Amino acid sequence: MTLEQRTLAKKFTISLNGIKAVPYYGCLLIRPSEVCKFDNPENPTSLDDIIKATGAQCLPFTQKTKCCGGNLLMSKQDYAFISHEEIVRRGKSRRS
């Protein structure tokens, strides 16, 4: 555990030990990287670190940077819902 994770972990009064979680960044949190300068846009880890700091198990999630289609809600609502549902379904499937 990094120093940052240990510092954050001290803030939690209840451990989430035993909980399995997947990180989801989407496309808007970390892109455009020149503007956000938040995390690695190809392989972000900041939410992974937060999950670990809570005591929860952070599961690998290949969809963590996939666009949810939120920017299409007004023009192509059906596509946005399908994309969002797919991400949630894949995240839930990681519980095994």
Side-chain angles (χ1 to χ4, degrees), residues 23-48 61-67:
Y24 179 71
Y25 300 81
C27 61
L28 297 176
L29 181 62
I30 53 175
R31 293 187 187 97
S33 59
E34 307 82 44
V35 175
C36 296
K37 298 180 182 176
F38 175 65
D39 206 335
N40 179 336
E42 301 304 319
N43 186 28
T45 59
S46 54
L47 293 177
D48 302 57
F61 189 46
T62 59
Q63 305 293 306
K64 71 181 179 178
T65 59
K66 182 177 170 101
C67 177

Side-chain angles (χ1 to χ4, degrees), residues 65-77:
T65 59
K66 182 177 170 101
C67 177
C68 70
N71 58 336
L72 299 173
L73 277 174
M74 298 305 284
S75 61
K76 297 186 183 205
Q77 192 176 56

Side-chain angles (χ1 to χ4, degrees), residues 82-95:
I82 289 168
S83 184
H84 178 264
E85 288 171 355
E86 177 68 11
I87 293 166
V88 171
R89 185 185 62 74
R90 289 183 182 219
K92 286 182 175 182
S93 74
R94 294 293 305 137
R95 292 189 291 194

